[in-house]
Amino acid sequence: MTGKKLLALALLTTVSTGASAQRKTEVTEPVSVQQPADGRFIKRKVAIGRFSNETQYAKGIFYDKANDPMGKQALDILSAKLAASGKFLLLERSDLATLLEEAKKGDTGLATIGADYMIIGSITEFGRKNTGTSGLFRSTKTQTVEAAVAVRLVDVSSGLIIYSDEAKGSAEITSKTTMGMGGKADYDATLSDKAISEAIGQLVENIINKCTDKPWRTFFLNYDDDAKLIAGGASQGINQGDMFAVFTKGKKVKNPQTGVMIELPGKRVGIVRVEDTAGDTPETEFSVVTYQQEVAAIDPAHLENYYIEEISK
């Protein structure tokens, strides 16, 4: 083997050994506290404020805006897709008045829970058309439905719209006849479902991403020798062993450019570790925690000055 080949082999061996050592070092480095560590997700509380039909489709003389079937259809589709993602606690708002009335009849209280985000949506375009060909021996007919949906995602804590977008969807079905033989389909009502569903499906991923841009946050419920409790429990994905950072609330100032009150970043003072969860419903759930002091002890007389937040990855 020549001297040049020996030198190249030695360099290659050195580089490979160094890369292996580097990979080994990366694996054995201490892992910082992450929440959650196994890829789980702390669910955000989301309410769909309304979903209206802003088109002129199917709006006759007896049209009832409060019971628009297309608006309710779009709301149900969006709710189903958000629920299927497993990342949200969906709060009822469209039928809240009915729920409150039923609770009153049953002489039971209905505890409503505040949302982190509210979605407002509308169907902005909707139409259907028939196209096809007709020949001596063969003919085709295609039914097409097109829909456009717009949504706004509002951060309830600030009232600011953090995401707004529009998407379009379409669905079609084709029937063919040959020598007079074949299917002859009337209008397929399920095409409207499919077109609206396709449009909403394009927006769901962006809604999820926007809701998770901001770390999940909660607050102390109690802090004494008997129990240290924070709001939130199993239904939001909190499990024993999860860790969250504790912050003192930052100062609130008015942004002179926008006129909006904003909260400045708080100061991290410690970490809480979840020891157990309890509660029957999202409204009553809580977690028992232990506190690991980093900077300062918690002042039990002023728990309103603190918040607990998931640790950034």
Side-chain angles (χ1 to χ4, degrees):
M1 185 179 292
T2 65
K4 290 184 178 180
K5 290 184 178 180
L6 286 172
L7 178 60
L9 180 60
L11 289 172
L12 179 61
T13 303
T14 302
V15 171
S16 300
T17 304
S20 300
Q22 183 179 10
R23 286 195 295 270
K24 185 177 181 180
T25 301
E26 291 173 351
V27 171
T28 56
E29 284 179 352
V31 178
S32 60
V33 178
Q34 299 287 322
Q35 170 57 35
D38 58 1
R40 289 179 295 105
F41 183 86
I42 305 299
K43 296 180 181 179
R44 274 58 170 176
K45 302 186 295 294
V46 174
I48 303 176
R50 67 164 173 83
F51 216 115
S52 58
N53 174 17
E54 300 302 325
T55 73
Q56 295 303 312
Y57 185 81
K59 290 185 177 180
I61 190 172
F62 299 109
Y63 172 73
D64 181 3
K65 185 176 183 180
N67 295 292
D68 183 277
M70 282 181 55
K72 289 182 176 293
Q73 177 187 36
L75 187 149
D76 290 342
I77 291 173
L78 177 58
S79 297
K81 288 184 179 294
L82 292 177
S85 72
K87 297 182 181 297
F88 301 103
L89 282 178
L90 294 179
L91 308 179
E92 181 60 65
R93 287 296 181 267
S94 61
D95 294 321
L96 183 59
T98 303
L99 288 174
L100 291 172
E101 186 64 27
E102 285 300 315
K104 188 185 299 182
K105 291 177 181 177
D107 198 24
T108 59
L110 178 64
T112 58
I113 183 173
D116 299 316
Y117 301 95
M118 178 167 285
I119 299 173
I120 299 172
S122 60
I123 302 172
T124 57
E125 295 179 22
F126 187 88
R128 60 187 181 92
K129 61 183 179 181
N130 294 324
T131 58
T133 60
S134 179
L136 182 60
F137 299 108
R138 174 179 295 183
S139 63
T140 63
K141 177 184 177 182
T142 300
Q143 303 173 41
T144 304
V145 172
E146 296 177 338
V149 170
V151 297
R152 300 196 303 275
L153 181 65
V154 181
D155 186 334
V156 173
S157 64
S158 64
L160 295 177
I161 297 174
I162 60 174
Y163 171 68
S164 179
D165 201 359
E166 184 180 65
K168 295 184 177 182
S170 64
E172 64 178 33
I173 185 172
T174 300
S175 59
K176 299 179 180 180
T177 60
T178 302
M179 300 290 291
M181 304 293 291
K184 293 183 179 180
D186 293 329
Y187 174 67
D188 188 346
T190 64
L191 292 178
S192 60
D193 301 355
K194 295 173 183 176
I196 294 173
S197 179
E198 181 184 335
I200 291 175
Q202 297 175 42
L203 300 173
V204 167
E205 184 175 353
N206 290 337
I207 291 173
I208 293 172
N209 292 336
K210 286 296 179 181
C211 287
T212 56
D213 282 348
K214 185 178 179 181
W216 178 84
R217 180 179 291 192
T218 190
F219 304 91
F220 281 113
L221 295 176
N222 187 72
Y223 194 97
D224 55 29
D225 293 337
D226 293 331
K228 298 174 178 62
L229 309 176
I230 65 172
S235 67
Q236 285 190 266
I238 299 175
N239 287 336
Q240 182 181 12
D242 289 345
M243 294 187 179
F244 302 95
V246 182
F247 293 85
T248 56
K249 287 184 178 180
K251 181 180 179 182
K252 284 191 174 183
V253 298
K254 186 175 182 179
N255 184 341
Q257 184 184 43
T258 62
V260 175
M261 294 296 295
I262 59 175
E263 183 180 309
L264 299 179
K267 179 181 179 182
R268 177 166 160 168
V269 295
I271 290 176
V272 292
R273 182 184 188 276
V274 176
E275 303 299 335
D276 199 4
T277 60
D280 300 322
T281 66
E283 297 90 342
T284 62
E285 283 184 344
F286 61 89
S287 297
V288 181
V289 300
T290 53
Y291 178 64
Q292 177 184 335
Q293 179 178 329
E294 291 183 338
V295 178
I298 300 297
D299 181 0
H302 296 284
L303 295 180
E304 70 277 5
N305 293 334
Y306 303 91
Y307 64 88
I308 296 99
E309 196 170 87
E310 65 178 319
I311 299 172
S312 301
K313 295 180 176 61

